[in-house]
Amino acid sequence: MTKLSSNSLSSKTRDALTAAQLYYLQDLTMDAIARELHTSRSSVSRLLSHARDTGLVTINVSSPLDVPRQLESDIRRRFGVVTHVVPVPEQTSDVDRLDRVALTAARILGGFVESNMAIGVAWGATMTAVSRHLAPKSTHNSRIVQLNGAANPRTTGLVYASELLQRFGTAFGAAVQQFAVPALFDDPETKAAMWRERSVRRVLDMQRSMDMTVFGLGSPFAVVPSHVYVGGYLDDDDLASMQSAQVVGDVATVFYRADGSDDGIEINTRSSGPPLDVQRRVARRVCIVSGESKLQSLRGALAAGLITDLIVDATTARLLLAS
């Protein structure tokens, strides 16, 4: 950039530069500048116009509405997923951040749901928040399918899961298929025996023909606790085993590592959630994420190829791209 000496500037340009510095850099009013330059307010206005017209001043408008669009484009280019970034102020609490993302997600989901669809829905804090904001949309012959069981040693989980699923069913006029099994079995052999039962196989068959899945990400690091980590589903041995296996998150109680792998993770042999390869065969897989504490879980889910559509807050989106 060429720096001009004061001698090389015309009198008008020098006055325009002075007026611009006082107005844009020191926040003086036009009246105050007029008094300082011993001129009129209208003359100051013309000097400021001259400064803009001649390039002494350039004005850039940074619209907060454009930032999410750029983030969406960058994430799609880098990770190959359709992304919806929700603008949320930095100082927003994690609880309010989740609610804002959930509200946006509920509106977006309405555009995805059509008649004759089988929609797999996971349970958890994120999905509960989304379910509260769903707007009614009439469909026919649609089904909401519970992705994983909700029972644990303390509770059947039926009330918790059924309320969430019923909100989805009511919003879209869809039949609801619950999955009345434990979230995590005590013994893999018990699970194998249950999976041979015709009543259970019927739900598993429905899961294998899903058109869309909707889920949040479970995370051992989340500020707003993931329900599976605080709801009595995991004991100390489970947590130790997961730590040893370097687990960073789960989708419908199926756990994975930072690189997206899930081989050799013992707890998955006891999980009621659909295996990751079943998830990957679903045409549309909508992941809803809120809060930077879910970042490791999100990276792992992307590495595992579990997501086709991502709904995420702007802060987490920026951190994802910075990694």
Side-chain angles (χ1 to χ4, degrees), residues 78-99:
R78 181 167 169 182
F79 297 100
V81 298
V82 176
T83 305
H84 304 269
V85 173
V86 182
V88 182
E90 294 280 352
Q91 67 274 18
T92 305
S93 71
D94 277 69
V95 173
D96 288 341
R97 186 180 302 273
L98 170 59
D99 197 58

Side-chain angles (χ1 to χ4, degrees), residues 31 42 112 114 301:
D31 288 331
S42 59
F112 292 165
E114 302 293 344

Side-chain angles (χ1 to χ4, degrees), residues 61-79:
V61 178
S62 298
S63 169
L65 298 177
D66 294 337
V67 173
R69 304 295 84 79
Q70 184 61 53
L71 291 171
E72 291 167 358
S73 176
D74 291 345
I75 291 173
R76 182 167 191 169
R77 185 167 54 252
R78 181 167 169 182
F79 297 100

Side-chain angles (χ1 to χ4, degrees), residues 153-232:
R154 299 179 185 177
T155 174
T156 64
L158 288 175
V159 173
Y160 172 75
S162 65
E163 287 181 353
L164 186 164
L165 294 165
Q166 197 56 55
R167 291 189 193 111
F168 273 84
T170 300
F172 301 122
V176 173
Q177 175 59 63
Q178 290 190 258
F179 198 19
V181 298
L184 299 164
F185 288 87
D186 291 333
D187 189 327
E189 292 185 6
T190 306
K191 172 186 170 180
M194 283 284 291
W195 262 222
R196 290 193 294 269
E197 291 292 321
R198 286 178 295 170
S199 60
V200 173
R201 288 208 314 266
R202 182 176 65 86
V203 180
L204 297 177
D205 288 342
M206 292 175 69
Q207 290 180 351
R208 282 189 283 269
S209 62
M210 294 181 298
D211 302 289
M212 180 170 74
T213 54
V214 186
F215 54 88
L217 299 178
S219 169
F221 318 107
V223 174
V224 178
S226 299
H227 194 75
V228 70
Y229 293 91
V230 297

Side-chain angles (χ1 to χ4, degrees), residues 15-283:
D15 288 344
L17 181 58
T18 300
Q21 289 171 330
L22 294 173
Y23 186 74
Y24 292 107
L25 301 182
Q26 299 183 33
D27 292 327
L28 267 65
T29 65
M30 288 193 193
D31 288 331
I33 296 170
R35 289 193 296 272
E36 185 155 330
L37 297 182
H38 306 291
T39 188
S40 66
R41 189 181 189 280
S42 59
S43 295
V44 171
S45 179
R46 287 193 292 271
L47 288 171
L48 292 174
S49 295
H50 179 71
R52 292 192 297 269
D53 293 343
T54 59
L56 291 174
V57 171
T58 58
I59 299 174
N60 295 316
V61 178
S62 298
S63 169
L65 298 177
D66 294 337
V67 173
R69 304 295 84 79
Q70 184 61 53
L71 291 171
E72 291 167 358
S73 176
D74 291 345
I75 291 173
R76 182 167 191 169
R77 185 167 54 252
R78 181 167 169 182
F79 297 100
V81 298
V82 176
T83 305
H84 304 269
V85 173
V86 182
V88 182
E90 294 280 352
Q91 67 274 18
T92 305
S93 71
D94 277 69
V95 173
D96 288 341
R97 186 180 302 273
L98 170 59
D99 197 58
R100 294 194 188 196
V101 172
L103 175 60
T104 299
R107 291 171 176 169
I108 292 170
L109 286 175
F112 292 165
V113 176
E114 302 293 344
S115 295
N116 303 308
M117 289 183 69
I119 304 158
V121 175
W123 50 260
T126 297
M127 294 308 302
T128 297
V130 172
S131 72
R132 294 192 181 108
H133 294 294
L134 292 169
K137 178 180 181 178
S138 179
T139 70
H140 65 271
N141 195 36
S142 298
R143 300 184 302 280
I144 304 297
V145 184
Q146 183 175 338
L147 283 180
N148 54 324
N152 66 29
R154 299 179 185 177
T155 174
T156 64
L158 288 175
V159 173
Y160 172 75
S162 65
E163 287 181 353
L164 186 164
L165 294 165
Q166 197 56 55
R167 291 189 193 111
F168 273 84
T170 300
F172 301 122
V176 173
Q177 175 59 63
Q178 290 190 258
F179 198 19
V181 298
L184 299 164
F185 288 87
D186 291 333
D187 189 327
E189 292 185 6
T190 306
K191 172 186 170 180
M194 283 284 291
W195 262 222
R196 290 193 294 269
E197 291 292 321
R198 286 178 295 170
S199 60
V200 173
R201 288 208 314 266
R202 182 176 65 86
V203 180
L204 297 177
D205 288 342
M206 292 175 69
Q207 290 180 351
R208 282 189 283 269
S209 62
M210 294 181 298
D211 302 289
M212 180 170 74
T213 54
V214 186
F215 54 88
L217 299 178
S219 169
F221 318 107
V223 174
V224 178
S226 299
H227 194 75
V228 70
Y229 293 91
V230 297
Y233 292 90
L234 303 168
D235 59 26
D236 290 341
D237 289 340
D238 292 329
L239 294 170
S241 173
M242 290 162 54
Q243 185 175 13
S244 176
Q246 299 180 308
V247 165
V248 299
D250 75 275
V251 171
T253 57
V254 177
F255 300 82
Y256 52 83
R257 303 181 184 88
D259 63 0
S261 65
D262 67 318
D263 56 295
I265 298 177
E266 186 276 334
I267 196 170
N268 286 343
T269 66
R270 300 185 281 114
S271 172
S272 61
L276 300 189
D277 62 337
V278 172
Q279 280 270 28
R280 282 188 283 260
R281 288 197 291 269
V282 179

